[in-house]
Amino acid sequence: MTGWDRLDARILIALVGLPGSGKSTVGRQLARRLQLPLLDSDQVIESRLGCPIREYFEREGEASFRDVEAAVLDELTQAGPGVLSTGGGAVLRLENRQRLYARSRVIYLKSTPEELFRRLRHDRNRPLLQVADPKARLRELYVVRDPLYREAAHFTIETGRPSVAMLVNMIVMQLELAGPHPTPPEPQPARQ
């Protein structure tokens, strides 16, 4: 019996973090390792919108996009067991943070803005990074979002330079140590 066998395999594991922190890549490997379905909120959103997020974001604005994102996250956090990869801004709304925390085990994949810039410097698909100084933008996002990721998360994993396989091992070990049931929700401060 492996450690995961002792865990409640009916839980939802949600990954949060800044754009480029590895949520989709780590999510795919974690889902494969745990033999759980992968739920990627950005893919579901794009499927519903019928266009890339960047296009919708530019045409309709961030507020409209965040409304769609909140509705999708509400559905996905009730979808049953799996690994949920969220968009980088999923934690911006209090309702999303509360739902994620209450309905899943949330893992914050924490990366520094400098690490993210190295990974994303040639990326042209992330709407919030299509600015004159993407490194400065990543720093701004980190300052605003890091406390929100921490608020939503049950566990924080420093991504640094470990391989994807090592990150998956770290997550599985953290889940095994935590035991069979998600931590009951604690009252969260009312941040908007």
Side-chain angles (χ1 to χ4, degrees), residues 38-181:
L38 175 66
L39 309 166
D40 186 311
S41 66
D42 284 350
Q43 287 179 356
V44 172
I45 290 168
E46 287 188 343
S47 174
R48 298 243 172 109
L49 296 176
C51 66
I53 288 173
R54 179 179 179 183
E55 183 182 316
Y56 185 86
F57 204 93
E58 290 170 356
R59 188 177 68 237
E60 302 295 330
E62 184 173 359
S64 180
F65 169 74
R66 297 294 174 204
D67 290 341
V68 173
E69 180 180 55
V72 167
L73 284 172
D74 184 32
E75 290 174 34
L76 293 178
T77 57
Q78 297 180 74
V83 175
L84 171 60
S85 172
T86 66
V91 297
L92 292 174
R93 290 199 174 169
L94 176 62
E95 65 189 293
N96 292 345
R97 294 192 304 275
Q98 290 174 333
R99 286 174 180 151
L100 285 164
Y101 191 88
R103 298 174 182 171
S104 66
R105 285 273 178 89
V106 183
I107 310 290
Y108 170 23
L109 297 179
K110 184 175 184 241
S111 300
T112 67
E114 293 71 28
E115 290 167 6
L116 295 171
F117 180 72
R118 278 192 297 276
R119 291 181 208 160
L120 300 175
R121 65 182 173 269
H122 302 297
D123 190 305
R124 299 292 171 248
N125 294 318
R126 297 172 196 266
L128 292 175
L129 299 181
Q130 305 314 306
V131 295
D133 188 350
K135 188 186 282 188
R137 182 65 178 139
L138 284 166
R139 287 185 185 124
E140 292 166 9
L141 290 173
Y142 181 83
V143 166
V144 170
R145 295 179 181 181
D146 178 65
L148 303 177
Y149 294 132
R150 290 176 184 277
E151 181 182 315
H154 294 92
F155 311 107
T156 298
I157 303 287
E158 301 274 345
T159 61
R161 296 209 181 257
S163 67
V164 171
M166 187 178 283
L167 288 171
V168 168
N169 286 340
M170 291 166 66
I171 292 168
V172 170
M173 184 174 70
Q174 194 67 61
L175 292 168
E176 288 173 349
L177 290 172
H181 300 288

Side-chain angles (χ1 to χ4, degrees), residues 6-50:
R6 290 188 303 268
L7 291 176
D8 184 346
R10 294 169 296 168
I11 66 169
L12 177 67
I13 302 160
L15 303 176
V16 299
L18 285 168
S21 61
K23 298 177 302 290
S24 294
T25 304
V26 171
R28 272 192 300 277
Q29 294 299 320
L30 182 62
R32 185 175 299 134
R33 165 102 176 255
L34 300 178
Q35 299 178 348
L36 292 171
L38 175 66
L39 309 166
D40 186 311
S41 66
D42 284 350
Q43 287 179 356
V44 172
I45 290 168
E46 287 188 343
S47 174
R48 298 243 172 109
L49 296 176

